[in-house]
């Protein structure tokens, strides 16, 4: 009888989009099926995330992963050999127990997530993972949110907010959504080079211009949408990842690019003004990750109009999503598998979001590779949104382009969820 028993587990050091070492895991089953996956890495990490393990020391800035690879070939392989790859929950529970730490720091979140994803790919066999996960469900493509300008921890803090993104809310299908985004990106490039402001690109491929402040980046985004011949707020909405924990010190938010500090009320006021002035449809992490009352107040103020996304605040944790739903803090969650550490836990966070009426955005990290597993997860799990960074650089286009291939195979040809009801998860 053909089974899906794991016979081989192999770890390998590979390189990510920041030129840092990361870990790839290859799983082989007794029927010859193979699965492979690479761990991503964040820069603006929430304190409640699964912790990556690194060698430390001086080589490669202390970031090498030889210890992680050794654990994969050693104790993780010992655990998994003989297990059924079809039982993802048992595999993931086994990994969690083997690690034994709440933050997964002993074996490392990087070891666990790469292993967990590789097992899923192996279990899918010759089928693409998205179809394997989706089963007989009516699947559709997620609505992308795509970075045009990068800032914060991804661009030497040239501006303080981290991601200035577009959301093609009026696009009928996935392919058109990417085409419109490319037009906006090109228009932004024209505008910036005309001003002599182009500095390069940030970690996720968005432009990294010499803006004089954060609001100027939002204004330029609106002008770029218009420059692409699109209507702001109709064709394209704006999404901001404030990543506020990154510029919070001693009770204040320091906007270095504007050389001024704001308290929580001041920061909220600034963002709420922007929601009135600009076609903003999503704001992520508007406040420092521990400010529960702030998140509740912000959601109360504007949660009926836009998605308020918890990233560092919710860290892909189902219990935190449930608590936020009870509190009325946020109305959407970013789902990053490596924040949780295993696919089972990431899926639990997504299910908690769906059960609570929250929006859910499956997301890549700022440190990425050619691995496209998150696209499979977004489609196969029925998440309605996907965040990958910009529409440039191979580690980003690998994912957007994989989406184009999947869209062609779907019965609806890659139609996007009904934009009339966006933002999903809005609290009314
Ligand atoms: C985020 C991600 C992606 P990082 O904050 O949402 O933009 O960044 O992977 O550095 O946490
Ligand atoms: Mg974020």
């Amino acid at each position: 009888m053909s089974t899906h028993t794991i016979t081989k587990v192999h770890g390998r050091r590979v390189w990510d989009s920041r030129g840092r070492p990361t870990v790839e895991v290859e799983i082989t089953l007794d029927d010859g099926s193979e699965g492979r996956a690479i761990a991503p890495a964040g820069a603006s990490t929430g304190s409640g995330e699964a912790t990556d393990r690194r060698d430390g020391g001086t080589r490669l800035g202390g970031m090498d992963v030889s210890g992680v690879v050794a654990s994969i070939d050693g104790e993780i392989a010992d655990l998994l050999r003989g297990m059924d790859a079809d039982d993802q929950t048992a595999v993931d529970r086994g990994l969690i127990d083997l690690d034994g730490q709440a933050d997964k720091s002993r074996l490392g979140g990087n070891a666990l997530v790469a292993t967990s994803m590789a097992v899923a790919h192996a279990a899918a066999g010759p089928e693409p993972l998205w179809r394997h996960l989706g089963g007989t469900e009516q699947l559709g493509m997620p609505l992308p949110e795509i970075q045009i300008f990068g800032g914060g921890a991804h661009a030497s803090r040239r501006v303080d907010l981290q991601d200035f993104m577009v959301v093609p809310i009026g696009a009928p299908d996935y392919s058109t959504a990417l085409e419109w985004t490319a037009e906006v990106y090109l228009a932004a490039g024209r505008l910036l080079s005309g001003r002599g402001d182009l500095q390069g690109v940030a970690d996720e491929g968005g432009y990294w211009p010499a803006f004089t402040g954060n609001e100027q980046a939002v204004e330029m985004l609106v002008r770029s949408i218009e420059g692409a011949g699109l209507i702001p707020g109709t064709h394209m909405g704006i999404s901001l990842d404030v990543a506020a924990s990154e510029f919070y010190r001693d009770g204040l938010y320091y906007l270095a690019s504007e050389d001024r500090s704001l308290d929580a009320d001041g920061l909220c006021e600034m963002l709420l003004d922007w929601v009135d002035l600009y076609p903003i449809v999503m704001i992520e992490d508007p406040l420092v990750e521990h400010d529960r009352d702030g998140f509740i107040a912000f959601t109360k103020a504007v949660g009926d109009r836009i998605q308020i996304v918890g990233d560092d605040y919710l860290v892909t944790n189902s219990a935190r999503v449930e608590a936020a739903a009870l509190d009325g803090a946020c109305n959407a969650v970013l789902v990053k598998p490596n924040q949780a550490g295993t696919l089972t836990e990431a899926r639990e966070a997504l299910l908690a979001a769906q059960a609570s009426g929250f929006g859910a955005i499956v997301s890549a990290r700022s440190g990425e590779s050619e691995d496209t597993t998150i696209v499979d997860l977004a489609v196969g799990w029925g998440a309605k949104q996907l965040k990958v960074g910009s529409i440039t650089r191979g580690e980003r286009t690998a994912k957007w382009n994989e989406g184009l291939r999947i869209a062609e195979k779907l019965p609806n040809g890659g139609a996007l969820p009904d934009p009339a009801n966006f933002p999903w998860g809005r609290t009314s």
Side-chain angles (χ1 to χ4, degrees):
M1 190 184 81
S2 163
T3 61
H4 277 164
T5 304
I6 297 171
T7 53
K8 199 173 156 210
V9 178
H10 176 50
R12 173 184 299 124
R13 184 184 70 177
V14 294
W15 302 93
D16 79 7
S17 54
R18 282 193 274 249
R20 294 178 184 168
T22 186
V23 63
E24 177 171 72
V25 175
E26 231 166 58
I27 300 281
T28 311
L29 308 185
D30 61 348
D31 69 351
S33 300
E34 286 180 346
R36 203 172 64 196
I38 302 176
S44 62
T45 49
S47 57
E49 293 194 18
T51 306
D52 284 347
R53 184 174 144 208
R54 306 269 176 187
D55 289 355
T58 51
R59 276 184 51 249
L60 294 166
M63 284 179 289
D64 204 5
V65 289
S66 60
V68 181
V69 171
S71 301
I72 292 163
D73 290 343
E75 42 180 326
I76 291 181
D78 290 344
L79 168 80
L80 295 190
R81 266 192 307 266
M83 285 189 84
D84 180 2
D86 288 334
D87 195 345
Q88 183 83 42
T89 311
V91 165
D92 289 343
R93 292 285 159 227
L95 289 169
I96 294 164
D97 291 345
L98 183 66
D99 180 83
Q101 304 290 315
D103 64 358
K104 302 184 172 71
S105 56
R106 195 181 73 79
L107 295 166
N110 41 358
L112 264 55
V113 79
T115 306
S116 180
M117 295 194 301
V119 168
H121 280 291
E127 243 186 343
L129 179 57
W130 60 270
R131 187 175 284 148
H132 180 73
L133 294 172
T136 53
E137 295 285 315
Q138 190 81 39
L139 299 175
M141 288 310 292
L143 175 66
E145 64 167 327
I146 308 129
Q147 188 191 69
I148 305 296
F149 306 130
H154 300 167
S156 287
R157 303 175 201 283
R158 190 62 191 77
V159 284
D160 307 280
L161 272 58
Q162 182 180 285
D163 297 320
F164 298 85
M165 296 170 283
V166 289
V167 188
I169 48 174
D173 56 58
Y174 180 82
S175 171
T176 309
L178 293 189
E179 182 181 324
W180 288 1
T181 303
E183 293 281 16
V184 175
Y185 192 86
L186 291 171
R190 284 194 300 272
L191 277 171
L192 294 170
S193 56
R195 293 158 32 108
D197 275 352
L198 222 43
Q199 303 269 304
V201 294
D203 278 4
E204 298 191 30
Y207 292 117
W208 166 12
F211 289 131
T212 51
N214 294 283
E215 188 167 1
Q216 195 191 18
V218 183
E219 283 166 2
M220 283 297 277
L221 204 44
V222 176
R223 287 183 52 200
S224 304
I225 295 169
E226 288 166 349
L230 298 164
I231 304 171
T234 301
H235 295 120
M236 280 289 189
I238 287 176
S239 170
L240 303 174
D241 183 359
V242 179
S245 300
E246 291 292 315
F247 54 91
Y248 175 86
R249 299 283 172 277
D250 304 324
L252 289 176
Y253 296 91
Y254 178 57
L255 300 177
S257 67
E258 301 169 20
D259 194 21
R260 62 181 180 131
S261 290
L262 298 172
D263 61 11
D265 287 345
L267 180 64
C268 286
E269 231 168 80
M270 180 185 90
L271 295 172
L272 294 174
D273 280 350
W274 289 1
V275 173
D276 286 336
L277 282 170
Y278 306 106
I280 291 171
V281 293
M282 303 170 65
I283 296 185
E284 182 179 323
D285 286 341
L287 292 152
V288 66
E289 61 179 27
H290 56 71
D291 187 2
R292 174 172 170 260
D293 292 343
F295 269 88
I296 294 171
F298 195 78
T299 306
K300 203 166 177 202
V302 80
D304 60 338
R305 293 162 63 189
I306 67 167
Q307 272 189 335
I308 296 152
V309 185
D311 171 17
D312 295 348
Y313 187 64
L314 298 174
V315 289
T316 314
N317 179 301
S318 58
R320 291 203 192 197
V321 172
E322 280 156 13
L326 281 176
D327 286 348
C330 305
N331 54 25
V333 59
L334 212 63
V335 176
K336 292 167 161 172
N338 83 322
Q339 244 176 5
T342 62
L343 285 191
T344 300
E345 292 159 287
R347 173 101 166 111
E348 279 165 5
L350 178 72
L351 290 171
Q354 288 166 340
S356 317
F358 268 35
I361 306 106
V362 171
S363 172
R365 301 306 306 248
S366 49
E368 271 292 341
S369 70
E370 65 275 22
D371 187 289
T372 58
T373 307
I374 58 157
V375 187
D376 288 307
L377 301 178
V379 177
W381 285 349
K384 285 186 175 171
Q385 291 166 260
L386 179 63
K387 176 183 180 187
V388 166
S390 196
I391 190 158
T392 64
R393 298 181 45 141
E395 78 280 5
R396 313 287 151 191
T397 54
K399 295 167 183 59
W400 297 127
N401 293 342
E402 183 63 11
L404 289 168
R405 294 180 199 105
I406 296 173
E408 276 182 15
K409 297 198 179 85
L410 296 178
N412 71 8
L416 292 171
D418 184 1
N421 302 321
F422 192 80
W424 306 297
R426 198 169 37 164
T427 24
S428 45

